[in-house]
Amino acid sequence: MIRIMRLLVTRDLRLALRQGSDAAMVIAFFVITVTLFPLGVGPEPNVLARIAAGVVWVTALLATMLSLDRLFQSDYDDGSTDLLILAPVPLELVVLAKVLAHWMLTGLPLILTAPVLAALMNLPEGGYLVLIVSMFLATPTLSLIGSVGAALALGARRGGILISLLVLPLYIPVLIFAVGAVDASITGLTPRPHLLILGAMLAAALPLAPWAAAAALRHSLR
Amino acid sequence: MPNRFSGHSITCFRGERFVFEALDFSVESGEALVLTGPNGSGKSSLIRIMAGLLAEVDGRLEWNGDPVSETPEDHRARLHYVGYQDAIKPVMTVRENLAFWASLRGPLDGVTGALETVGLGRIAEMPAQFLSSGQRRRLSLARIVASTAEVWLLDEPTVGLDRNAVGILETLVADHRAGGGMAVLATHQPIALGGDEHGLDISRFAARRQIFDDAEVSQ
């Protein structure tokens, strides 16, 4: 089981690193978009500080979404999905491994970049730790939920846009509680309840999303 | 005791029309079944139904008389499927491509030997993007050599292969049958698979009922 997981994750990481640029593109989008806000809203430090957590999180959400259409599409196009379904391995495990690889290539770099961008947005000091903790709890959920959307959109024309329409509404609770956690810690309240709810969402998505995405993958071949 | 893989009154519905209906087939250990029929008669669909990738709208698949649908995991574990797509990642080397699929099914000992068998041994470390279409096909066939499976489902395996490679394929299937395996092939080319292979002309089962009139579709 562990062996198969490692095998699948290594394959996806190797593919991504060799054809390059997917992860880099996500980070570039994240950085550029956040940089636009001080230019658009104006460099007033208090205004930026108030919207900092929201801007960083909304942009991280969009950056994650941007990378979702490649999750299953290339396997689908070259017939690998057939063979993954036929492999004597639970398809849910395959999906979980692909989601893990996706998170390592997008979620993890986002977490590393977020504090820098938060500083650019003048996020008050008290918010940094909670921002990072909330990202560690919530970005895996984003990848998991995204995998369901990506699997459902397979074979559709304009799949990328369809994924956004499917997935963005489901991202709303994650966004609300993640930003809520950071705001709470800035205003001196405890972020604990928000973080617990983010943890609960992750705990729910971890078994449910691979199961749903696997069902969608099987259906995509019909 | 020989195993028996059979299908009973299978009906296939695809793209808003019935492709074939009431189709029966049966293969036993050591046998080969060659599917023939014009383009669009449903050879690929039948192979995908046999593999469990496509759901039949009617009828059932059986393994030694037991419905396959009750034990789909066992069914997947005993079959190799080579479809019209090659599932080859251009940025990985020939060996890495094969090793990935082989390792999903078990140990890796067979990989080097399999590449030698299909004549790709010398270019094992080359990125797969430089393979010709015939070489890609050979790499697909290497999958069925690298790990063992009792049932081989091969969809147009000879497309793009040169004479030499078709010969290799014929030997592989003949050896597989001699070892107690079974093979189902869809092909347009005459192929020698080691004697008395059964033929199945799918156009005999062409569906008479249709949802749409042909005239209506063409408009």
Side-chain angles (χ1 to χ4, degrees):
Chain A
M1 211 75 146
I2 304 278
R3 185 186 73 90
I4 299 277
M5 278 289 274
R6 199 167 52 209
L7 192 74
L8 287 158
V9 173
T10 338
R11 167 181 181 258
D12 272 23
L13 291 181
R14 185 181 283 164
L15 280 173
L17 295 177
R18 287 208 191 146
Q19 47 210 16
S21 81
D22 258 23
M25 200 185 65
V26 168
I27 296 309
F29 174 85
F30 189 39
V31 172
I32 292 172
T33 313
V34 172
T35 325
L36 290 180
F37 277 86
L39 299 174
V41 184
E44 170 63 41
N46 291 331
V47 175
L48 288 181
R50 239 195 39 235
I51 60 170
V55 167
V56 169
W57 256 110
V58 169
T59 317
L61 221 82
L62 295 177
T64 307
M65 219 185 54
L66 200 67
S67 61
L68 284 175
D69 59 335
R70 300 309 299 161
L71 187 55
F72 298 118
Q73 191 67 47
S74 61
D75 279 345
Y76 181 76
D77 290 341
D78 68 13
S80 297
T81 310
D82 287 351
L83 297 182
L84 287 172
I85 289 177
L86 290 177
V89 176
L91 190 58
E92 289 77 8
L93 197 72
V94 176
V95 172
L96 195 61
K98 292 187 85 68
V99 169
L100 182 60
H102 176 261
W103 178 77
M104 288 162 86
L105 288 164
T106 59
L108 214 49
L110 286 179
I111 294 174
L112 297 175
T113 344
V116 183
L117 293 176
L120 185 82
M121 291 296 291
N122 194 28
L123 182 77
E125 262 169 56
Y128 286 90
L129 182 64
V130 175
L131 175 69
I132 293 171
V133 174
S134 71
M135 289 200 90
F136 263 108
L137 283 172
T139 47
T141 316
L142 297 185
S143 294
L144 283 163
I145 295 176
S147 72
V148 182
L152 282 172
L154 277 182
R157 277 173 294 161
R158 320 286 307 263
I161 296 171
L162 186 58
I163 294 176
S164 321
L165 294 177
L166 288 171
V167 160
L168 273 185
L170 297 172
Y171 279 177
I172 292 173
V174 181
L175 178 69
I176 290 174
F177 288 103
V179 175
V182 182
D183 280 346
S185 69
I186 294 171
T187 48
L189 299 168
T190 171
R192 202 177 125 84
H194 297 281
L195 294 177
L196 284 177
I197 289 178
L198 286 179
M201 287 184 202
L202 176 58
L206 207 53
L208 290 179
W211 172 70
L217 274 184
R218 286 197 190 95
H219 192 79
S220 71
L221 299 178
R222 300 273 146 99
Chain B
M1 201 190 100
N3 289 317
R4 201 164 85 93
F5 179 37
S6 58
H8 305 277
S9 61
I10 306 243
T11 298
C12 171
F13 180 74
R14 242 176 117 59
E16 315 267 309
R17 75 185 183 94
F18 287 94
V19 182
F20 52 77
E21 60 187 348
L23 184 148
D24 296 313
F25 73 89
S26 163
V27 206
E28 278 188 29
S29 298
E31 288 185 342
L33 179 66
V34 178
L35 308 177
T36 52
N39 298 129
S41 56
K43 299 188 292 295
S44 294
S45 297
L46 178 57
I47 286 202
R48 290 178 73 84
I49 286 175
M50 287 176 176
L53 287 169
L54 197 67
E56 64 275 16
V57 289
D58 195 16
R60 64 191 185 283
L61 293 173
E62 288 181 354
W63 183 262
N64 292 335
D66 299 324
V68 161
S69 54
E70 281 174 15
T71 52
E73 296 86 5
D74 295 350
H75 187 59
R76 291 204 300 267
R78 67 179 158 243
L79 67 86
H80 264 314
Y81 168 76
V82 175
Y84 58 95
Q85 288 173 310
D86 290 319
I88 290 170
K89 297 293 179 191
V91 291
M92 299 210 288
T93 66
V94 171
R95 182 191 300 280
E96 284 169 344
N97 266 297
L98 180 59
F100 171 72
W101 295 117
S103 56
L104 277 184
R105 307 186 71 100
L108 279 174
D109 344 325
V111 170
T112 307
L115 287 174
E116 296 290 343
T117 309
V118 298
L120 294 177
R122 285 193 303 124
I123 53 170
E125 306 306 330
M126 195 172 83
Q129 56 187 322
F130 302 118
L131 294 182
S132 72
S133 64
Q135 286 172 323
R136 293 171 66 90
R137 210 65 202 146
R138 286 177 185 233
L139 181 50
S140 277
L141 291 173
R143 274 198 290 110
I144 61 178
V145 189
S147 51
T148 53
E150 193 174 354
V151 183
W152 287 4
L153 303 174
L154 313 178
D155 189 2
E156 303 275 4
T158 55
V159 169
L161 291 182
D162 57 28
R163 260 197 127 65
N164 179 11
V166 173
I168 295 173
L169 174 67
E170 288 175 336
T171 319
L172 284 175
V173 175
D175 290 351
H176 178 59
R177 291 176 60 190
M182 55 184 89
V184 179
L185 288 88
T187 182
H188 290 291
Q189 283 186 18
I191 187 165
L193 302 171
D196 61 81
E197 52 267 15
H198 304 279
L200 181 68
D201 183 0
I202 297 197
S203 56
R204 284 201 343 234
F205 302 94
R208 280 177 297 278
R209 53 179 162 163
Q210 287 192 339
I211 294 246
F212 295 122
D213 237 358
D214 276 345
E216 203 178 317
V217 170
S218 63
Q219 271 169 15

